[in-house]
Amino acid sequence: MLLKVAKSSVLLVLAASALHANAFTEQAEMDRKAIIKYFEDKFEDGEKNKDRFFPYSTDTELKGFVKGVKHNDFNIGSYAYNQSAKDQYLTFKDGMMPFEDAVEKGAQLYKKPFANGKSLADCFPDPTVSNEYPKFDETKKAVVSLTVAVNNCLTENGEKPWNTKKDDMASFQGFLGTKAAEAGKVVDVQINSKEAQDAYERGKKYYYSQRGYLKMSCATCHVQGAGQRVRNESMSPLLGQMTHWPVFRLKWDSLGTAERRMSGCIVDQGQKPPKDDSKQMQEMLYFMGYMSNGMKIDGPDLRK
Ligand code: HEC
């Protein structure tokens, strides 16, 4: 009996530590661990790391950096390493957030009956699972982002799909994000097949590919460039870029999806963004989601 109990608890421990470890996640886990190490090293001490990581930053800027930023701390984007921005953000969070009405609207949309009597609640019976997206659909052999999953639910029930960047889509995702955060969920993107692994690799390739006449990749700004400024904005690290969607941007004066924000970045790179429901966009989200695995959901969030 005792032996049995001991055995099953050993199995449980193994299962927990192997949550993401299988034959198809070997490379992705190596990437994820390397990214965590890179950012923890980089933001261990900004002033000390000036020569190695921040040659273009001023001493005053680096003095304002948070020291010893650890893995999960990065789930609030660029606030993670900037002491005054972080303090401001945390104060804001304690008060009224400008997206509360939108999230309330999202809660109503969740239950609002479609013409056929069903609702989004039938497609998402557990509203706390946005942390599992993007998912790889093993039947369709394709990545499905949360945005596409929501629109699939609508169209499969005879409804019109929503704008993938804002309005109802963002409100509904705001509701799901709030529920996942309240439930203490962590990002849990799974790779369980060779096809899923290939999709992850293609998403990673997009993130690291230089494009346009500027020859920039997402990584130029969000890996090497993270912590530096561009147009008076501090660039966020790849690590934790998928923990907090949708985001209320003061510039938009509304909530927007991750696709909305990423499309803006791609336009800034001098490129035409892929469609939000395209394979390219969804596979990039899949890669970014995996990099945020294990980090606490903090959505929705507030940005400049
Ligand atoms: C020229 C630099 C630059 C490039 C290239 C760039 N971005 Fe950005 N990105 C920014 C800046 C500046 C912001 C606003 C500050 C920040 O990172 O939160 C931003 C914001 C973001 C955010 C929101 C982060 C948050 O916490 O709210 C995401 C996600 C993002 N970018 C993804 C991408 C992806 C994916 C690509 C490549 C397709 C890309 N970016 C390319 C500069 C860039």
Side-chain angles (χ1 to χ4, degrees):
M1 174 65 190
L2 245 182
L3 190 68
K4 248 192 183 160
V5 172
K7 251 190 187 162
S8 62
S9 54
V10 165
L11 280 178
L12 267 180
V13 169
L14 279 179
S17 66
L19 188 62
H20 295 106
N22 65 44
F24 308 108
T25 54
E26 218 169 285
Q27 182 61 46
E29 274 300 280
M30 263 163 49
D31 297 343
R32 192 179 69 91
K33 286 181 185 144
I35 280 293
I36 297 170
K37 182 168 184 338
Y38 173 80
F39 284 116
E40 286 189 345
D41 285 352
K42 183 167 184 168
F43 292 102
E44 172 61 35
D45 186 333
E47 278 179 288
K48 239 188 176 157
N49 285 339
K50 184 176 165 77
D51 293 345
R52 187 166 162 217
F53 291 118
F54 308 106
Y56 307 113
S57 304
T58 65
D59 291 342
T60 330
E61 235 174 87
L62 294 175
K63 261 202 175 65
F65 272 23
V66 180
K67 285 201 171 71
V69 188
K70 291 287 177 222
H71 184 197
N72 194 62
D73 301 337
F74 288 101
N75 75 342
I76 51 172
S78 65
Y79 304 135
Y81 57 79
N82 185 323
Q83 191 68 58
S84 68
K86 185 172 178 177
D87 292 345
Q88 261 184 29
Y89 171 70
L90 293 177
T91 316
F92 240 113
K93 250 197 129 161
D94 276 343
M96 277 283 283
M97 281 295 214
F99 48 72
E100 284 174 9
D101 289 349
V103 170
E104 180 51 40
K105 168 112 196 278
Q108 288 162 12
L109 289 166
Y110 183 59
K111 298 231 166 97
K112 190 179 164 192
F114 301 143
N116 68 4
K118 294 197 167 176
S119 71
L120 283 159
D122 290 295
C123 300
F124 300 92
D126 177 358
T128 70
V129 295
S130 61
N131 63 314
E132 294 171 14
Y133 285 86
K135 282 186 183 183
F136 192 82
D137 182 328
E138 296 292 350
T139 323
K140 293 183 186 153
K141 300 285 174 218
V143 175
V144 182
S145 62
L146 181 60
T147 300
V148 167
V150 170
N151 270 345
N152 285 347
C153 173
L154 292 169
T155 52
E156 280 158 16
N157 283 288
E159 300 287 313
K160 279 210 183 98
W162 286 336
N163 181 316
T164 48
K165 292 190 163 59
K166 51 189 179 179
D167 302 331
D168 284 353
M169 179 64 81
S171 300
F172 180 58
Q173 290 191 15
F175 164 70
L176 293 180
T178 304
K179 285 285 172 202
E182 281 170 4
K185 292 288 183 80
V186 297
V187 180
D188 183 13
V189 171
Q190 304 265 345
I191 301 177
N192 292 315
S193 67
K194 177 75 174 67
E195 291 87 352
Q197 189 188 357
D198 292 345
Y200 164 90
E201 287 296 336
R202 285 190 297 269
K204 176 166 93 184
K205 196 164 167 202
Y206 192 106
Y207 200 93
Y208 284 94
S209 301
Q210 295 178 317
R211 306 201 157 68
Y213 59 93
L214 296 171
K215 282 252 170 257
M216 276 197 283
S217 69
C218 312
T220 315
C221 291
H222 295 296
V223 180
Q224 297 95 309
Q228 294 173 24
R229 285 175 167 276
V230 108
R231 280 179 268 105
N232 208 30
E233 286 211 74
S234 301
M235 292 185 283
S236 57
L238 160 62
L239 185 66
Q241 264 184 338
M242 283 296 122
T243 51
H244 53 270
W245 295 95
V247 155
F248 189 100
R249 256 189 103 185
L250 300 174
K251 187 180 155 190
W252 297 334
D253 194 26
S254 67
L255 270 185
T257 58
E259 290 89 337
R260 184 176 180 186
R261 179 58 136 161
M262 282 157 63
S263 298
C265 279
I266 300 174
V267 169
D268 289 347
Q269 274 175 280
Q271 293 289 295
K272 196 168 170 269
K275 287 218 167 84
D276 292 345
D277 58 1
S278 66
K279 187 173 156 175
Q280 268 177 329
M281 182 62 93
Q282 295 190 77
E283 289 180 344
M284 183 155 62
L285 284 164
Y286 192 46
F287 160 70
M288 293 164 75
Y290 197 94
M291 290 299 102
S292 291
N293 261 356
M295 301 174 78
K296 260 192 143 151
I297 296 286
D298 191 59
D301 259 1
L302 188 66
R303 296 286 186 267
K304 261 206 264 185

